[in-house]
Amino acid sequence: NIYLYYPKSAGGGSKRLFRKVENRSSEFYPNISNIRRGSYIYEEFLPTEGTDVKVYTVGADYAHAEARKSPVLDGRVKRDRDGKEERYPVILTPQEKEMARKVVLAFKQRVCGFDLLRTGNQSYVC
């Protein structure tokens, strides 16, 4: 389980993320904002438009990207009539292609995949 705690400026509350169970992968708790005890990684909250971008690479010069509705929005995974998660092709910007190249080179992985967070006119590898 991963817990996200939202700042008051974003409405507060917390969300528990978990492995997909049927069509759910998260649960929102609007009244829980006290951080639990333990180890934490703190990151700046970056609002997105509700889309997750998955990037898949083969070598440093090829990257394919797909988008899906972020289950963080409502905890639900959007599926087609065959039960597969709905995904849509994405065109990467030149900057995102360069980010993909740098990920491949940094991790020395010929084939890899990672998530890309798009917020405003900036993208971040996560």
Side-chain angles (χ1 to χ4, degrees), residues 43-54:
E43 296 179 346
E44 180 181 351
F45 178 74
L46 299 172
T48 65
E49 281 123 41
T51 303
D52 286 348
V53 177
K54 308 292 183 185

Side-chain angles (χ1 to χ4, degrees), residues 112-125:
C112 69
F114 60 91
D115 293 343
L116 196 64
L117 181 65
R118 287 178 165 174
T119 179
N121 58 358
Q122 291 235 346
S123 296
Y124 300 88
V125 174

Side-chain angles (χ1 to χ4, degrees), residues 8-20:
K8 290 181 183 177
S9 62
S14 66
K15 185 166 289 198
R16 181 175 62 99
L17 306 178
F18 47 84
R19 277 279 182 210
K20 292 176 199 160

Side-chain angles (χ1 to χ4, degrees), residues 52-80:
D52 286 348
V53 177
K54 308 292 183 185
V55 180
Y56 305 96
T57 64
V58 179
D61 298 319
Y62 178 80
H64 169 77
E66 297 177 338
R68 67 175 185 164
K69 180 193 77 66
S70 176
V72 172
L73 287 175
D74 59 6
R76 301 221 178 266
V77 176
K78 192 172 180 184
R79 299 188 182 278
D80 64 18

Side-chain angles (χ1 to χ4, degrees), residues 1-2 16-21 24-27 29 75:
N1 291 326
I2 296 174
R16 181 175 62 99
L17 306 178
F18 47 84
R19 277 279 182 210
K20 292 176 199 160
V21 177
R24 296 200 59 79
S25 63
S26 70
E27 188 73 37
Y29 302 94

